[in-house]
Amino acid sequence: MTMRLVIIGCGTMGTGIAEVAVVAGHTATIIDPDNGARTRARERIENNLRRGIEKGRIKEPLETYLGRLAIESAPPKDSKVHWVIEAAPEQVDLKEAIFQDLDARYGPEVWLASNTSSIAISRIKARASRHPERIGGLHFFNPVPRMALVEIVRSMDTSDAYLAAAKALVISLSKTGIVVPDRPGFLVNRVARPYYLEALRMVEEGVAPFDVVDRIMEGAGFPMGPFRVMDLVGVDVNLSVTQSVFEQTYFDERYRPHPLQEQMVHRGYWGRKRGRGFYRYE
Ligand code: NAD
């Protein structure tokens, strides 16, 4: 079944989700208040689709895919929408406000999901009092077109019908969904937190430089070293996720953010998307 998706935020994740949606035959409208972000998003999606066609990974003409894509500054008013997936910055207050608005805007037949990496869905929907049962998490991984896994987050009040619809959507996008409980960091990000944090501590202790840590971990079989992943995810996003898990675990020492993350963010070294993170990019 062809669906209409609205995606909130056209950064790294919003564009990736929109791309896989139009490739799967759905229509996608991405919403972002930032003019520059909307322009960059269109370029990024077009380039990725063009590359996919050149390599034979996807078969339809570029215009067909682009015909299913819209990038706007505000959500559509009509309710002929199947799914709204929020991929705005990892900030509790912002997400709470977005879900309050979405819950008021759309009828109960529209499923709402947050792509949050770490914030409890029950917190995000705290002000969405009309239909909390149609709100859950759909946690895609970066880069979305290449990563098969999606964590489907069941939070307090999330209905069985929601989970069934979420599984159907995930399958339609040719991905694998696993249902996870609404705990800080869900499953993957909780396991991954110490991977980054211990590596940061080791670099500070002088055990090895960051690029050597990466090379050794890659040599040991990890697809990417921790610093390369932080650059891909976004050092800013990674810090927000760490802060959020730290706070939600009542300041469990294991998840304490590292000062180097904060310094990198203040300095503007946000990773690949800014041309510089731990590494430099063209
Ligand atoms: P990003 O910073 O690349 O993009 C966020 C976008 O949201 C920006 O374009 C910004 O202009 C826009 N935005 C800000 N306020 C908005 C609003 N009120 N309405 C609509 N758009 C708004 O962030 P990202 O990396 O795409 O992350 C988005 C979400 O996905 C976060 O919750 C993050 O934790 C999660 N996530 C990120 C990754 C990753 O690897 N980057 C992986 C999985 C999940």
Side-chain angles (χ1 to χ4, degrees), residues 7-15 17 31-38 40-41 44 73 86-91 94-95 98 114-119 124 138-144 189 229 232-234 236-238 240-241 270 273:
I7 294 154
I8 309 290
C10 67
T12 310
M13 297 307 289
T15 52
I17 298 166
I31 311 302
D32 201 300
D34 182 333
N35 258 326
R38 291 201 301 275
R40 287 192 297 277
R44 199 174 321 136
S73 56
E86 170 274 319
E90 190 76 343
Q91 294 159 16
L94 174 65
K95 289 188 192 280
I98 289 174
S114 175
N115 184 53
T116 178
S117 307
S118 62
I119 304 170
I124 286 174
L138 276 180
H139 183 217
F140 290 82
F141 291 83
N142 183 15
V144 181
N189 266 316
V229 184
L232 175 71
V233 166
D236 58 321
V237 174
N238 196 271
S240 299
V241 174
W270 289 15
K273 61 186 168 187

Side-chain angles (χ1 to χ4, degrees), residues 9 48 74 167 191:
N48 284 352
K167 284 178 194 163
V191 172

Side-chain angles (χ1 to χ4, degrees), residues 13-34:
M13 297 307 289
T15 52
I17 298 166
E19 186 185 324
V20 296
V22 298
V23 166
H26 303 308
T27 61
T29 304
I30 324 182
I31 311 302
D32 201 300
D34 182 333

Side-chain angles (χ1 to χ4, degrees), residues 97-135:
I98 289 174
F99 276 86
Q100 183 177 19
D101 171 65
L102 292 174
D103 188 47
R105 185 182 294 267
Y106 294 112
E109 69 287 357
V110 181
W111 306 115
L112 309 180
S114 175
N115 184 53
T116 178
S117 307
S118 62
I119 304 170
I121 302 295
S122 53
R123 176 70 204 275
I124 286 174
K125 67 180 178 185
R127 285 195 261 148
S129 52
R130 283 178 72 223
H131 298 290
E133 74 287 350
R134 51 73 181 266
I135 305 177

